[in-house]
Amino acid sequence: MAERSFAREVEDLKLGEGEEFRGEGILAITKALLQSGVSYVGGYQGAPISHLMDVLADAKDVLDELGVHFENSASEAAAAASLAASVHYPIRGAVTFKAPVGINVASDAIANLASGGVTGGAMIIIGEDYGEGSSIMQERSHPFAMKSQVWLLDPRPNLPSIVKMVEDGFELSEVSHTPVMLEVRIRACHVHGRFIAKDNKKPNFALREALEKPRRDTERVVLPPASYLHEREKIEQRWPAAVKFIKERKLNEFFGPDKADVGIVVQGGLYNSAMRALQQLGLADVYGETSVPIYSLNVTYPLVDDEVAEFAANKKAILIIEEGQPEFIEQAINTILRRRDIQTRISGKDVLPMAGEYTPMVVTKGLKAFLERYANALLGNAPPPPNADAVLADPKVKTLAKTVPPRPPGFCVGCPERPIFAAMKLVQRELGEHNISADIGCHLFSSLPPFNIGATTMGYGLGPASSSAFNVKADKRPISVIGDGGFWHNGLSTSVANAVYNKQDGVIMVVDNFYSAATGGQDIPSSRALKDSRSTNNSIVDAVKGVGVKWVRHLDRTYDVGRMRDTLREALTTKQQGPKVIVASSECMLNKQRRVKPLFQKSVRDGERMVRERFGVDEDVCTGDHACIRLSGCPSLSVKQTDDPLKDDPVAAIDNNCVGCGNCGEVSEAAVLCPSFYRADIIHNPSRFDRFMSGLRRAVIGFLQRRREARRIAFAD
């Protein structure tokens, strides 16, 4: 299951010629694929492109009618490899995944695809997850395009431009026999707008036809001597064809006056930020009219030398707005101009930061510095730009910063992964600190307080492989953590099979929460859901045994902290050699609540008797040592002041976000903490017996309270 239903968005995919499409950028891309006559779409979910995958997963009827094949690929490499269908056949195909991590995984397939070239249009849609909203290491996709000679499209972040680049991108791919990348940043994926739709197109060449009449061309097989000729073909044929198409179709755009002393060259994806910066300096209006010429690179690779030279000629200086490092575009433009003996000054990373996201505020500061140096007269009537330092220095902001605590990322309320790391901390209390390698996924939050567990993370599915160097004789065994998503993505072969082959003696904890939870709750091979179109319920335990693991333990309820602790202790102390695998299974609580809450609420509305569990803390019993919080960290577990004059410290408290997972009580029991936790059953639509028992309990408790009050010793004032 995905994090939400896309039934409404699927209806938008059916819009025809002349109708208006409204929505997000990533959904506009989905519609553009169908308008372009795509035959197949694959990909791997991940922010910010998950919606494209989730919508297509819900649009089976639309795809079947058009004859479009769609599948959730096992990894980005599997997705990129599926573009092989476009090598020999005039078939348009597209794949999508998060970048640059996805391109890292898929780089081998992309390199081979780019070497042999394609017949049908092949498009790789990458969510450029760069900047302050990112969850990954900070890198750019640009060098991968340069390395493999793949054309890189970077459309202006508005829906008509994005849709046009999808449609033109397929043609560019076919004209130059080269796969293309469509780079969309986080803001472009989630920008809202509208465009006039076209009719969806059935593929001109069906996949079935390719199977029934197979073709082959050995010149496209990446094998010597053809592979030596591919490089020459890229430079002598494909590159010129691409440049010609880009120039004739005017894929790059020019804005502003024809003549000026200065100009701006900007990546298409940063066009909105550049325009906002010009507005702040009084040099553009809200309708896009600018006093400074702009050359918007909707294709950032390859550059069109003639366009660059024409734009720079007769200008004193131009500013290159290029996010990230190294400054590939700035270096390339310098080379183009110097070879043509055009002496226009190039500015870029001298006034703009080398690293970090180019927010409008950052661009405004750099643009102002550029204009002060080369065209100060343009700033004569500029209003004072916003001063971020002054805002942060405001006393009210400082007070707010002291009052509102920082909120680092962490596990959700009731997360089944929290008790795993509570048990791990308890075991380390007994056996000492261990080297722990983490993996990509929710479990990586364990490296933060209150757990502070995990030393490294090397990539999706590479957690256990990260411990390979520690396969030496020692008193302690290394521990590795890997999620079920990473396990099926890459981990089974690269991590687990590798550990078996090399007779590693470490402990591998596989966190099985039934979904690819961190990317939105998509199903994976081990999901418990029943799917007509996919094979699920594939056992992780059987898989690890299949590659040769002898010591395997399966815990089907992670909230049993005591059992989890004992199993982990056994794995770390057993005399048996070889990898030890613990599969810890419990459903992701966030996805469980999405699934269960609507059903629960419907039953309540229908008048059925329903029971909901809640946990609480008896403040009379709680000592206020907060050990439960240090071993749990649940957002619903907090503290509050008590009226008891004998207690100086605040006591633990559970708020209304509690989902009744019971972890806090289990941790307290396993760690031999205080018995202050209690469970309360909230009954909706109670029966007569429930009401009778409730009245009886109230009467007994009231009697005991009155008797206690009567026996209390009271002192006169």
Short mmCIF file of all heavy atoms in Angstrom, two decimals, residues 64 186 235 338 470 525:
data_model
loop_
_atom_site.label_atom_id
_atom_site.label_comp_id
_atom_site.label_asym_id
_atom_site.label_seq_id
_atom_site.Cartn_x
_atom_site.Cartn_y
_atom_site.Cartn_z
N ASP A 64 -3.70 -0.33 -19.21
CA ASP A 64 -4.12 -1.49 -20.01
C ASP A 64 -4.81 -1.05 -21.29
O ASP A 64 -4.63 -1.65 -22.36
CB ASP A 64 -5.06 -2.38 -19.18
CG ASP A 64 -4.33 -3.13 -18.09
OD1 ASP A 64 -3.09 -3.16 -18.12
OD2 ASP A 64 -5.00 -3.68 -17.19
N ILE A 186 13.27 19.05 -6.18
CA ILE A 186 12.15 18.87 -5.24
C ILE A 186 11.06 19.89 -5.51
O ILE A 186 9.87 19.56 -5.56
CB ILE A 186 12.67 18.99 -3.79
CG1 ILE A 186 13.67 17.88 -3.48
CG2 ILE A 186 11.50 18.93 -2.80
CD1 ILE A 186 14.33 18.01 -2.13
N ILE A 235 30.55 11.29 -30.41
CA ILE A 235 31.09 12.62 -30.69
C ILE A 235 30.81 13.07 -32.11
O ILE A 235 30.46 14.23 -32.37
CB ILE A 235 32.61 12.64 -30.42
CG1 ILE A 235 32.91 12.25 -28.97
CG2 ILE A 235 33.20 14.01 -30.74
CD1 ILE A 235 32.21 13.14 -27.95
N ARG A 338 36.43 31.37 -24.77
CA ARG A 338 37.86 31.63 -25.01
C ARG A 338 38.30 31.05 -26.35
O ARG A 338 39.14 31.62 -27.04
CB ARG A 338 38.70 31.04 -23.88
CG ARG A 338 38.38 31.60 -22.50
CD ARG A 338 38.38 33.14 -22.43
NE ARG A 338 37.73 33.60 -21.20
CZ ARG A 338 36.65 34.35 -21.16
NH1 ARG A 338 36.06 34.73 -22.28
NH2 ARG A 338 36.13 34.73 -20.01
N PHE A 470 35.69 -6.05 9.34
CA PHE A 470 35.82 -6.45 10.74
C PHE A 470 35.68 -7.96 10.92
O PHE A 470 35.42 -8.44 12.02
CB PHE A 470 34.77 -5.73 11.59
CG PHE A 470 34.95 -4.24 11.61
CD1 PHE A 470 34.09 -3.42 10.89
CD2 PHE A 470 35.98 -3.66 12.33
CE1 PHE A 470 34.25 -2.06 10.89
CE2 PHE A 470 36.15 -2.29 12.33
CZ PHE A 470 35.30 -1.48 11.62
N PRO A 525 8.68 -7.54 -1.96
CA PRO A 525 8.45 -8.99 -2.05
C PRO A 525 7.99 -9.65 -0.75
O PRO A 525 7.26 -10.64 -0.80
CB PRO A 525 9.81 -9.52 -2.51
CG PRO A 525 10.38 -8.41 -3.33
CD PRO A 525 9.95 -7.16 -2.62
#
